[in-house]
């Protein structure tokens, strides 16, 4: 069976839909998952979509994706700005990594302007809300077909 692309979501993204909707929109995480499954399906890709508030679980899932995935899309939430452990796990991956953020982190507080995760990403998409996940899936399909 073809390997899925992993889409990993970090802390507080389980609250999507009710969390600061003026920043993150009204779409829930479940809505976003359906959107990703639909988009990936049109490109012939399967999706493994997960969310955790725990850094260690996210590191474990990155390692799982490294072994079992065709590619990895990650919105690490606040861990983007703090987690060298996630960066190291991503650097160990030889599958394509695409970083995504719902909001435009560069228009926000200065502490959000740096993402450690970007150091391991093929590219970064931010500021387009849920559409960004679809754009990341398109970019991933192209990266996988180039590999
Ligand atoms: C986020 C941006 C981060 O700065 C923030 O901590 C999040 C969500 C985004 O998707 O815009 O939790 O990754």
């Amino acid at each position: 069976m073809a390997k899925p692309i992993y889409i990993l979501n970090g802390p507080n993204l389980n609250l999507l839909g009710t969390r600061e909707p003026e920043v993150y929109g009204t779409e829930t995480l479940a809505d976003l998952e359906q959107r990703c499954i639909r988009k990936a399906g049109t490109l012939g890709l399967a999706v493994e979509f997960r969310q955790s508030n725990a850094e260690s679980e996210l590191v474990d899932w990155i390692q799982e994706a490294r072994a079992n995935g065709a590619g990895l899309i990650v919105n690490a939430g606040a861990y983007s700005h703090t987690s060298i452990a996630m960066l190291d796990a991503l650097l160990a991956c030889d599958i394509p990594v695409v970083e995504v953020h719902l909001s435009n982190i560069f228009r926000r507080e200065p502490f959000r302007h740096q993402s450690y995760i970007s150091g391991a990403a093929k590219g970064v998409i931010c500021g387009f809300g849920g559409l960004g996940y679809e754009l990341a899936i398109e970019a991933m399909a192209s990266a996988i077909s180039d590999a």
Side-chain angles (χ1 to χ4, degrees):
M1 224 174 64
K3 291 179 169 183
I5 53 170
Y6 278 65
I7 303 179
L8 302 183
N9 296 281
N12 301 306
L13 292 168
N14 55 313
L15 300 179
L16 278 184
T18 56
R19 171 197 184 199
E20 298 180 86
E22 67 289 356
V23 177
Y24 298 114
T26 53
E27 218 171 8
T28 66
L29 192 68
D31 294 336
L32 203 48
E33 178 173 12
Q34 286 314 308
R35 192 168 174 169
C36 288
I37 290 169
R38 209 174 322 118
K39 177 68 183 181
T42 67
L43 296 164
L45 297 170
V47 162
E48 187 65 41
F49 190 98
R50 298 187 191 165
Q51 187 275 334
S52 178
N53 292 326
E55 186 177 14
S56 65
E57 189 162 39
L58 290 160
V59 168
D60 287 344
W61 288 346
I62 292 168
Q63 293 184 10
E64 184 186 315
R66 174 178 184 258
N68 301 336
L72 174 52
I73 294 170
V74 58
N75 181 352
Y79 293 144
S80 314
H81 317 300
T82 62
S83 181
I84 296 169
M86 286 187 71
L87 169 64
D88 282 348
L90 290 165
L91 287 172
C93 290
D94 55 9
I95 55 174
V97 174
V98 177
E99 177 180 3
V100 62
H101 297 280
L102 294 156
S103 64
N104 180 353
I105 55 176
F106 301 103
R107 273 187 80 158
R108 301 184 63 195
E109 306 94 318
F111 64 83
R112 296 186 202 275
H113 295 182
Q114 188 197 4
S115 166
Y116 285 108
I117 306 306
S118 303
K122 185 170 172 62
V124 182
I125 296 166
C126 73
F128 296 102
L131 173 64
Y133 282 66
E134 293 198 39
L135 298 173
I137 290 168
E138 260 190 56
M140 183 57 74
S142 155
I144 291 170
S145 73
D146 288 351

